Amino acid sequence: MIKMQFATRLQPLKSNVFADMDTAKSIALAAGRELIDLSLGSSDLPTENHIIEAIAQSLHDPSTHGYLLFRGTQDFRKAAAQWYEQKFGIPVDPETEVLPLIGSQEGTAHLPLAVLNPGDFALLLDPGYPSHAGGVYLASGQIYPMPIKPENNFLPVFSDIPPTVLAKSRLMVLSYPHNPTSAIAPLSFFQEAVAFCQQHNIVLVHDFPYVDLVFTEETQNRSTERSRSPKSLVPSILQADPEKSVSIEFFTLSKSYNMGGFRIGYAIGNPQLIQALKQIKATVDFNQYIGILNGAIAALTGPQKGVKLAVDTFRQRRDTFIKALHRIGWNVPTPQATMYIWAKLPPQWSHNSIEFCTELVKKTGVAASPGVGFGEFGEGYIRFALVQKPEILETAVERISQFLY
C-alpha cells in the first residue's frame, strides 16, 4: 500500500484531548456505567415551534430547493441587522456589513485564511475555544497565547505581549462571555482592545455566541427588557468600535435559540473584513438551505420567550449544580454567564486534568472536559456543561463526591 503524504498543517490538528475523552466514555459505557455527559456544550433544550414551522413551510416550496447565493440571503441579513440595531443601538448595513455563516465557528475558522500570511501571529486567549486555534493553523499562522488568569478576571493583559510578536501580529480573537471560564468583560476592556488593535494595525475578532446567556438580577425582568431596546446585558465589540474600523463580530443561533444542529450564524462588522470572508466562503461553499435561514429569520424577529426560558433554565441548573458542589466541599465560584461551570481541581489533581476526567468517567460515568484541552493555562481546571436536568446534575455531583472521597 502506498504511504500517503499529507500537508504539514495537519500536524497541530492531530492533538485532541476531547478524542481521549470520547475513548474514556466508550470504556465507561462498555463497563456498564450510566453516562451523564457534561462534557459537550450542546444545548439539550428544544427549538421553538414557530422556528420549526418556518422551516417546515419552506420544505414544500420547490423554489427553495436550489443553490443559495449571497443575493438570496438578503432577508436574513436584514433580520440580523435589525436584531443587532435593536439590541445594541448601532446601525448596520445588511448589504456590506452582514454575512451569513454556517455557525460562528465557520467565521473563526475561515477568517484567518483571509487575514494571515504564513508566519503571521494571531493573538488568542488561553484557555480558549479550540477552533480559534484550528483556523490559524490552517492559515499557516503562528499562535501567541494570551494567558487569562483569575487574578485578572480572566482578561488578557495586552502590555505583556512582546514587541517582537506584535510586529508580526495581524489578528486578535476575543470571546466574552467566555468559553470555558464563563467570564464576562466590561465595555472599558473592549475599548482598550480596540485602541490597542488600532495602534498596532491588528484585525479584532469577537466571537459572541453567549450574547443572551447572562445571569444577572436584571434577567429576572428580562421579559420587559425587550421593550426598552436597545438593551444588552453584555457589550458588543462594536460598541467600542462603532465606526467598525478594525472589528468583526460573530454570532450564532445555537445557544440563544437552541439551533446548534441547524448550523446558522452570521458576522457583523468592518465591510472590508466581511468582503474578505465572503471571498473565502465563496470558494468553500454556497450557503445553507434557505429554509434554515427562514427559520433563523423567525427566531430573530419573532417572540423571544424561548430565549428567556433558556436563560432561566440554565440559571436554575447553574444554581443547582453550584449548591451541590458546595455541599460536598468543592467551592466553585458562581458564573455570571454561559452554560458552563469552570471548576478548579483539588490540589492532588491540579496538574493532570486529563487523568482526572478520564478516571472520573470510567469510575462514575460522569463526563467533563479537561481544562488543558482549552490551552496550557486551562490546566488545573475542568469544565462542566449544564446540559442535563437539575435532578441529573444532583446525581452527577453525588457520583463526583464518591470519586473524590
Side-chain angles (χ1 to χ4, degrees):
M1 182 178 293
I2 297 174
K3 185 177 181 180
M4 294 288 182
Q5 299 292 322
F6 293 100
T8 55
R9 69 174 57 88
L10 287 182
Q11 292 301 318
L13 303 179
K14 286 185 176 180
S15 177
N16 188 340
V17 300
F18 300 107
D20 296 338
M21 282 304 303
D22 283 341
T23 299
K25 284 187 278 188
S26 297
I27 293 173
L29 288 170
R33 301 284 184 197
E34 181 187 9
L35 193 65
I36 299 179
D37 196 345
L38 307 180
S39 65
L40 299 177
S42 179
S43 176
D44 59 316
L45 303 180
T47 307
E48 289 288 291
N49 287 336
H50 69 281
I51 300 173
I52 298 297
E53 184 60 29
I55 298 172
Q57 290 180 4
S58 303
L59 293 172
H60 300 287
D61 180 359
S63 69
T64 69
H65 295 174
Y67 291 125
L68 180 63
L69 302 181
F70 180 77
R71 182 179 64 255
T73 68
Q74 185 181 60
D75 288 345
F76 171 73
R77 287 182 279 114
K78 287 181 177 179
Q82 179 185 25
W83 176 90
Y84 183 89
E85 290 177 17
Q86 289 177 345
K87 198 169 188 69
F88 296 104
I90 297 173
V92 173
D93 183 349
E95 292 301 317
T96 62
E97 297 179 338
V98 182
L99 184 69
L101 297 172
I102 304 174
S104 62
Q105 184 164 319
E106 181 198 355
T108 57
H110 284 165
L111 187 65
L113 294 170
V115 173
L116 300 179
N117 286 315
D120 287 344
F121 272 100
L123 309 173
L124 305 184
L125 301 178
D126 184 349
Y129 190 57
S131 79
H132 296 168
V136 176
Y137 289 134
L138 289 177
S140 299
Q142 300 185 74
I143 292 173
Y144 180 81
M146 298 185 294
I148 55 174
K149 303 176 181 179
E151 56 264 34
N152 296 320
N153 298 315
F154 293 108
L155 300 174
V157 179
F158 300 137
S159 59
D160 289 344
I161 303 170
T164 53
V165 171
L166 274 179
K168 297 186 65 177
S169 296
R170 300 292 177 264
L171 179 69
M172 177 188 289
V173 182
L174 303 175
S175 184
Y176 292 96
H178 184 248
N179 177 12
T181 69
S182 298
I184 60 176
L187 181 59
S188 59
F189 167 77
F190 286 134
Q191 291 167 334
E192 179 188 357
V194 168
F196 183 85
C197 289
Q198 289 172 334
Q199 177 185 355
H200 297 284
N201 195 26
I202 296 171
V203 169
L204 179 54
V205 172
H206 185 228
D207 195 13
F208 205 7
Y210 302 99
V211 56
D212 288 307
L213 291 187
V214 185
F215 315 118
T216 72
E217 292 303 319
E218 294 176 80
T219 56
Q220 302 291 345
N221 301 313
R222 196 174 178 91
S223 59
T224 60
E225 246 179 44
R226 289 279 175 179
S227 64
R228 299 198 304 269
S229 60
K231 183 66 178 177
S232 175
L233 299 177
V234 286
S236 159
I237 197 73
L238 301 181
Q239 289 177 291
D241 187 15
E243 295 82 17
K244 308 178 185 76
S245 62
V246 294
S247 307
I248 187 170
E249 197 156 50
F250 296 132
F251 296 88
T252 177
L253 280 77
S254 297
K255 310 302 182 182
S256 299
Y257 300 98
N258 309 314
M259 294 180 69
F262 294 96
R263 307 312 304 135
I264 176 67
Y266 52 96
I268 292 180
N270 177 278
Q272 292 175 286
L273 292 174
I274 292 290
Q275 177 61 28
L277 185 55
K278 181 181 172 184
Q279 287 179 261
I280 299 294
K281 184 175 180 65
T283 303
V284 176
D285 64 67
F286 287 101
N287 289 284
Q288 298 93 321
Y289 169 54
I290 194 171
I292 302 297
L293 269 65
N294 289 339
I297 292 170
L300 294 172
T301 63
Q304 300 297 303
K305 292 180 180 179
V307 177
K308 181 183 183 300
L309 177 61
V311 174
D312 291 343
T313 298
F314 284 112
R315 186 201 299 110
Q316 180 189 11
R317 294 177 180 185
R318 175 203 65 176
D319 293 345
T320 296
F321 197 71
I322 289 291
K323 289 177 182 177
L325 287 176
H326 288 180
R327 281 200 301 270
I328 68 170
W330 195 346
N331 293 317
V332 175
T334 301
Q336 294 178 268
T338 78
M339 56 174 66
Y340 307 114
I341 303 295
W342 186 240
K344 189 173 184 179
L345 286 168
Q348 65 269 33
W349 298 98
S350 62
H351 299 291
N352 205 333
S353 58
I354 294 178
E355 183 179 357
F356 179 91
C357 287
T358 53
E359 289 301 306
L360 178 67
V361 72
K362 287 178 185 177
K363 295 180 179 179
T364 71
V366 176
S369 293
V372 75
F374 300 95
E376 176 187 351
F377 288 89
E379 184 58 284
Y381 290 83
I382 63 170
R383 190 198 74 177
F384 295 102
L386 301 173
V387 293
Q388 302 285 349
K389 295 178 180 179
E391 57 268 25
I392 297 178
L393 294 175
E394 292 268 13
T395 300
V397 175
E398 290 174 9
R399 295 186 189 180
I400 292 169
S401 178
Q402 294 169 7
F403 175 77
L404 288 175
Y405 308 111

